[in-house]
């Protein structure tokens, strides 16, 4: 399984970024797909996930600002991030669970300047 992220970068506080994750398998091969993030010195944390049935889950810190979506035909999952805050600065990882296996992308850096 390969997951390839794109779309990170540097943005000012209040701005927006969109992340993309392309999977090497049909997204219906996965129980859950989504996004996690990890800031320096901190544990990796859930940002947003979506089940194969379309049920979404968001961290409280991003609710109302971030939106997870997918494109079934492109085997891709996306994260639209609005109203970004400096505390959103992290490496963002695409995640996909298939049976009992957790799969991760290589990560993409998101930096929000104040």
């Amino acid at each position: 399984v390969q997951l390839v992220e794109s779309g990170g970068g540097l943005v000012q506080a209040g701005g927006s970024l969109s992340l993309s994750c392309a999977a090497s398998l049909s997204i219906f091969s996965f129980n859950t797909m989504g996004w996690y993030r990890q800031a320096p010195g901190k544990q990796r944390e859930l940002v947003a996930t979506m089940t194969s049935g379309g049920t979404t889950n968001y961290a409280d810190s991003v609710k109302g600002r971030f939106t997870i979506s997918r494109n079934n035909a492109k085997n891709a999952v996306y994260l639209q991030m609005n109203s970004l805050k400096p505390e959103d600065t992290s490496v963002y990882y695409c995640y996909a669970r298939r049976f009992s296996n957790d799969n991760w992308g290589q990560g993409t850096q998101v930096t929000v300047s104040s």
Side-chain angles (χ1 to χ4, degrees):
V1 176
Q2 288 187 322
L3 303 170
V4 180
E5 302 105 333
S6 60
L10 173 64
V11 65
Q12 288 189 330
S16 298
L17 278 176
S18 181
L19 304 182
S20 300
C21 173
S24 60
L25 300 177
S26 166
I27 61 175
F28 293 111
S29 300
F30 304 106
N31 309 103
T32 301
M33 293 188 74
W35 297 90
Y36 282 68
R37 66 187 181 187
Q38 187 168 19
K42 294 188 176 182
Q43 288 190 330
R44 191 170 295 188
E45 62 177 5
L46 179 147
V47 176
T49 59
M50 178 182 286
T51 68
S52 56
T55 301
T56 58
N57 182 42
Y58 293 92
D60 287 342
S61 60
V62 307
K63 282 181 181 176
R65 300 189 297 123
F66 291 11
T67 303
I68 188 171
S69 62
R70 69 189 184 195
N71 184 316
N72 301 339
K74 294 186 177 181
N75 296 330
V77 64
Y78 308 98
L79 186 69
Q80 178 64 42
M81 305 182 291
N82 298 327
S83 301
L84 282 160
K85 304 175 181 179
E87 51 264 43
D88 294 318
T89 295
S90 281
V91 177
Y92 284 71
Y93 295 91
C94 183
Y95 164 81
R97 184 169 182 83
R98 186 166 188 258
F99 301 116
S100 60
N101 296 321
D102 293 329
N103 302 279
W104 299 93
Q106 80 283 359
T108 185
Q109 177 70 44
V110 171
T111 302
V112 184
S113 63
S114 57

